[in-house]
Amino acid sequence: MIPRIKAAIWVDAEIRRCRVNGIDAYLVRRGDEHAGAILIKHNRFEAGCTVYTPTTPPDGGRAWRRGTGDDPVPEADADAYIARQRGYDPDLWVVEIEDPRGIWALAEPVLP
């Protein structure tokens, strides 16, 4: 099993990675510093939003799923999904990536 880094460190690194690449990224909600789950809202504005939710692949590493489905959804739908998840998990982190050009991609795999 691959050791996991703390949620706070991962979030800080992802926001920094975005900004270095000219992409705006913001911490919307701070969760548990050590182990809170992380949701990523990829906002492409007119092209819609996708919310990525963490999952654990068989090798124990970090991977993601599209919590809002295969196709981008309106921002209101993405926000409603995040609100529901926050109701289940009070330790949840939420990062929003504003990417109208569609150049951002996760460094870890996105599973179907």
Side-chain angles (χ1 to χ4, degrees):
M1 184 153 182
I2 298 170
R4 293 209 183 229
I5 62 173
K6 292 180 180 180
I9 294 170
W10 190 94
V11 166
D12 287 344
E14 185 63 20
I15 290 172
R16 192 171 303 117
R17 184 175 79 92
C18 287
R19 292 186 177 158
V20 163
N21 290 300
I23 301 167
D24 292 327
Y26 305 95
L27 177 60
V28 175
R29 183 174 194 287
R30 180 176 293 277
D32 180 87
E33 184 155 334
H34 300 285
I38 302 163
L39 292 184
I40 300 174
K41 177 182 168 186
H42 184 206
N43 189 344
R44 301 233 9 245
F45 298 95
E46 288 82 24
C49 296
T50 302
V51 178
Y52 293 93
T53 184
T55 190
T56 304
D59 69 2
R62 184 183 302 268
W64 302 88
R65 292 196 189 276
R66 291 176 186 89
T68 49
D70 291 337
D71 297 320
V73 299
E75 186 169 13
D77 293 353
D79 290 341
Y81 176 84
I82 292 168
R84 284 191 305 276
Q85 297 309 305
R86 285 180 56 197
Y88 303 131
D89 184 358
D91 296 328
L92 191 65
W93 292 76
V94 179
V95 175
E96 181 165 352
I97 297 171
E98 295 182 347
D99 180 28
R101 297 176 291 160
I103 61 173
W104 175 83
L106 281 157
E108 297 91 6
V110 178
L111 303 178

